[in-house]
Amino acid sequence: MSDTTTSVDPWVRKARGATLRYRVMAWITGTLLVLLCVELVLKYVFHANGVDAAGTPNPVIGAWIAYAHGWIYVVYLVTVFDLWSKMRWRLGRLATMAAAGVVPVMSFVLERTVHAQALARIEAAGGARG
């Protein structure tokens, strides 16, 4: 076998890694966002944990959900930018992918589409595993 048949294009390797990282972060971000929405509905709609002396609703699941989602969203944005720049997609795709981290359930839906399109592009570039 020649050396060219056994080696993988560096772009393909990097694109596969970026796709996997995006996929993982989309699921983590989406899950935390759904938990945050559940927290807000329980807290403000159902007043599940009551209110404190000042009349402020008490956390139900925990205040950490908002902080965790905020920091995870920053990591998600880095993975979005990484994948977007490797795939050389248009600017609208970047905006859509970034918005998916703050619109409930959108990250799950968009992840499937982005993952399929990224894999198709990688395969078209000769990234088929043999």
Side-chain angles (χ1 to χ4, degrees):
M1 287 188 158
S2 69
D3 201 15
T4 57
T5 59
T6 59
S7 66
V8 177
D9 180 13
W11 178 85
V12 169
R13 187 177 42 78
K14 290 177 183 178
R16 283 190 188 279
T19 303
L20 178 62
R21 286 187 298 276
Y22 165 75
R23 192 170 202 193
V24 168
M25 288 310 302
W27 276 91
I28 292 172
T29 303
T31 302
L32 283 175
L33 184 57
V34 167
L35 282 174
L36 180 60
C37 290
V38 168
E39 162 76 19
L40 293 176
V41 168
L42 289 173
K43 182 176 175 179
Y44 293 110
V45 176
F46 296 110
H47 303 289
N49 211 16
V51 293
D52 62 12
T56 306
N58 293 321
V60 179
I61 299 173
W64 64 271
I65 290 285
Y67 298 118
H69 177 265
W71 284 107
I72 292 294
Y73 180 68
V74 172
V75 177
Y76 170 77
L77 287 178
V78 170
T79 62
V80 162
F81 183 80
D82 182 39
L83 180 61
W84 173 79
S85 63
K86 284 188 179 38
M87 293 293 140
R88 297 182 182 218
W89 283 324
R90 295 181 184 220
L91 191 58
R93 173 65 61 93
L94 176 64
T96 305
M97 290 168 66
V102 293
V103 176
V105 186
M106 186 175 168
S107 68
F108 302 122
V109 175
L110 191 62
E111 179 273 326
R112 289 182 57 98
T113 304
V114 167
H115 182 254
Q117 290 173 349
L119 286 184
R121 181 139 186 195
I122 292 167
E123 297 297 322
R129 293 189 178 193

